[in-house]
Amino acid sequence: MKPVDSLRTFDGAVAIVTGGASGIGRALAQALAQRGAHVVLADLQIDLAKEVAARIRENGGQAAAEELDVTDFPATNRLVQDTFQRRGRLDYIFNNAGIGILGEARFYKIEDWYRVLDVNLRGVVHGVQAAYPIMCRQGFGHIVNIASFGGLFPYPLFVGYCATKHAIVGLSTALRIEAAAAGVRVSVLCPGAVRTPALADGGKYGKLLHPIRPEALKAMTERQHPIQPDCFAARAPRAVSRNKAIIVIPSRWKILWWLYRLSPSVGFYLGAKGLKMAKRAMEPPPPDQSLQPTGAAPSRSQDATEK
């Protein structure tokens, strides 16, 4: 099938969303389908992804679910190639899958670093590497990488997470300049606080290094005034359609970003204050703490929704 030569926004578009089974990924997939896109939800949680895709179809949208481990490049490349071959085009890829590790970096094991780098950064690299050549050949496309406000601002207790999200911002902004000559757009979404499992404890495949009282964890989360994933996803497509480079949602978080850019010491002060408050609710991790949290998959075979 020969693709047409222009990006669709969003009616009739083909979009892949990694980590599409829950959280921000699920909400983005639903929002894109509501706007007329054919959405492929790619996630390791295949049963949940199939449920989301089925609900989209029941509501009149077009969606399919595919099992995917984003740390596996051959699998990612195969999914992208198959989607392009079946649909004749690839308008969007939303590289959204990610995990969080909550706790002080002094308690990390090297496997924790590998875990967060594998999923959060290599997962995005794999999506870009698979989709970008196709988009260059067809002369259009939009790569949307989901980072975090933690990619623009220092977040103690999320050091590994912030490292990957800053890297995603750098990857996206640099690639955006190169890709423009080929007619390909690149944007990076930097969500503020969004009410998903990863906001509190790293998500299904993340890790909590310190025991925290449930009421204290809830209080830490609520202080950020998180918005619902559906609220985030209702705003994101508009910003993507405008081809913005760095997209911060909710917009009130831009103020903090601007202050940090103007005076980094403001960010350091606020980060230190937040760290002090958080540590009051934390206990040191037990000395025999195992690498894998209860119910987690092995570190090289996991995919989770970002936030």
Side-chain angles (χ1 to χ4, degrees):
M1 185 184 299
K2 183 179 179 180
V4 297
D5 58 359
S6 63
L7 182 68
R8 295 176 180 174
T9 314
F10 290 93
D11 190 24
V14 175
I16 296 172
V17 181
T18 69
S22 62
I24 285 176
R26 173 198 58 79
L28 280 172
Q30 291 174 330
L32 293 168
Q34 288 169 0
R35 288 162 173 78
H38 175 91
V39 183
V40 177
L41 296 89
D43 203 296
L44 193 61
Q45 303 178 83
I46 185 59
D47 291 337
L48 186 55
K50 287 180 177 178
E51 290 177 13
V52 176
R55 286 198 295 270
I56 289 174
R57 292 193 297 270
E58 288 170 2
N59 291 324
Q62 300 180 74
E66 298 287 347
E67 186 171 7
L68 178 66
D69 171 5
V70 296
T71 70
D72 182 345
F73 176 67
T76 303
N77 191 51
R78 186 163 53 249
L79 170 67
V80 172
Q81 295 288 341
D82 288 350
T83 299
F84 177 73
Q85 291 298 325
R86 285 197 304 267
R87 308 301 302 184
R89 60 186 298 126
L90 178 62
D91 294 83
Y92 301 92
I93 184 166
F94 287 78
N95 291 307
N96 165 73
I99 63 169
I101 295 179
L102 173 58
E104 292 182 77
R106 64 191 174 117
F107 295 119
Y108 278 34
K109 298 179 181 180
I110 192 61
E111 291 88 353
D112 296 324
W113 286 105
Y114 292 159
R115 165 184 289 197
V116 73
L117 287 167
D118 276 356
V119 179
N120 291 10
L121 183 54
R122 287 181 62 224
V124 169
V125 169
H126 290 168
V128 170
Q129 184 65 27
Y132 185 43
I134 290 175
M135 292 179 174
C136 287
R137 288 196 299 270
Q138 70 182 4
F140 67 90
H142 200 151
I143 296 169
V144 185
N145 297 322
I146 285 69
S148 164
F149 194 73
L152 303 172
F153 193 85
Y155 269 84
L157 302 179
F158 281 96
V159 174
Y161 178 85
C162 280
T164 62
K165 298 306 181 179
H166 274 75
I168 291 168
V169 172
L171 182 161
S172 304
T173 52
L175 181 60
R176 178 183 175 89
I177 299 169
E178 289 188 19
V184 178
R185 300 176 175 184
V186 182
S187 299
V188 59
L189 277 168
C190 296
V194 181
R195 194 180 298 280
T196 66
L199 175 64
D201 60 10
K204 178 176 174 62
Y205 297 110
K207 188 174 182 181
L208 187 64
L209 296 179
H210 302 257
I212 304 177
R213 300 185 308 275
E215 65 275 12
L217 188 60
K218 181 179 180 181
M220 288 169 56
T221 301
E222 293 306 317
R223 274 196 294 269
Q224 300 179 64
H225 304 288
I227 63 172
Q228 295 294 337
D230 291 341
C231 182
F232 172 86
R235 304 176 190 180
R238 180 182 299 178
V240 169
S241 70
R242 293 176 178 174
N243 192 25
K244 292 189 175 183
I246 300 174
I247 301 167
V248 179
I249 300 172
S251 58
R252 64 176 180 268
W253 288 75
K254 293 179 183 178
I255 298 172
L256 194 56
W257 178 36
W258 292 334
L259 285 173
Y260 177 58
R261 292 164 69 190
L262 181 65
S263 176
S265 60
V266 172
F268 301 147
Y269 168 77
L270 293 175
K273 184 176 180 181
L275 175 62
K276 185 177 180 180
M277 294 174 64
K279 288 180 73 172
R280 292 185 190 136
M282 291 182 169
E283 302 172 15
D288 61 345
Q289 180 184 38
S290 63
L291 172 65
Q292 297 294 341
T294 302
S299 63
R300 286 189 176 270
S301 62
Q302 55 191 318
D303 185 5
T305 55
E306 166 62 39
K307 293 171 233 6

